[in-house]
Amino acid sequence: MPRYTLVGVRVETAQEAAQREWFASQVTAAPANLNEAARQIITLVTTLLGLLLGLLALASGEPPLFLRTVEIKAGSLLALALWLVALAAGLFTVVPQMETAASGRPGNQAEVFERILRRKSIALTVAAIAFGLGLLALGVVLALAIWLA
């Protein structure tokens, strides 16, 4: 004779329903949040690069001797390279890429959705790390400039 286990069922509370709805909304909002963060990094990088180019355009004559040291040049080039990596990774996050999912297979759709999130998340992580390291390099350059001045 089979044994049956009685499982209790109850109506979900308002707090449980709100939590469930919040988590459901987070799933669909995740790509938009990643895109928005990438757009902010892109804006910051382009602003910093514009400021750098503007300073170079306004500079008249030769820069002071301490700004021509190898350390300052290397740090500046490192910051520039890292910002360009951050810009490329941010653009990779927001540029759409073709993904195909079978409309009648929710499991396949979930796999594609996870792949999209993983790609965007990795690209945004690279962008954020490169941007942060670029700022660190800029800080070292500024500290060296002050020290050598």
Side-chain angles (χ1 to χ4, degrees):
M1 181 177 326
R3 294 191 140 198
Y4 296 101
T5 304
L6 184 61
V7 178
V9 179
R10 64 176 174 81
V11 176
E12 72 180 350
T13 65
Q15 181 180 3
E16 291 169 339
Q19 279 181 333
R20 180 181 45 75
E21 290 171 10
W22 183 81
F23 277 107
S25 71
Q26 293 307 303
V27 169
T28 56
N33 293 339
L34 292 172
N35 283 346
E36 185 59 34
R39 282 188 184 97
Q40 288 178 345
I41 288 176
I42 290 167
T43 301
L44 290 170
V45 169
T46 53
T47 301
L48 287 170
L49 290 176
L51 178 66
L52 179 65
L53 291 174
L55 287 174
L56 290 174
L58 291 177
S60 59
E62 295 223 0
L65 187 60
F66 69 91
L67 290 179
R68 290 184 268 161
T69 63
V70 174
E71 296 87 3
I72 297 288
K73 287 181 180 181
S76 300
L77 287 175
L78 178 64
L80 178 65
L82 287 167
W83 285 340
L84 290 175
V85 168
L87 182 61
L91 288 171
F92 185 76
T93 302
V94 297
V95 170
Q97 293 184 355
M98 187 172 152
E99 292 279 351
T100 57
S103 60
R105 297 179 53 204
N108 179 257
Q109 291 173 346
E111 289 173 17
V112 170
F113 184 75
E114 286 299 318
R115 221 174 23 243
I116 291 169
L117 280 182
R118 187 172 35 255
R119 178 183 57 80
K120 287 180 177 287
S121 178
I122 290 170
L124 181 59
T125 301
V126 168
I129 290 171
F131 182 74
L133 290 174
L135 285 180
L136 181 65
L138 178 65
V140 169
V141 166
L142 292 175
L144 278 172
I146 290 169
W147 183 264
L148 295 173

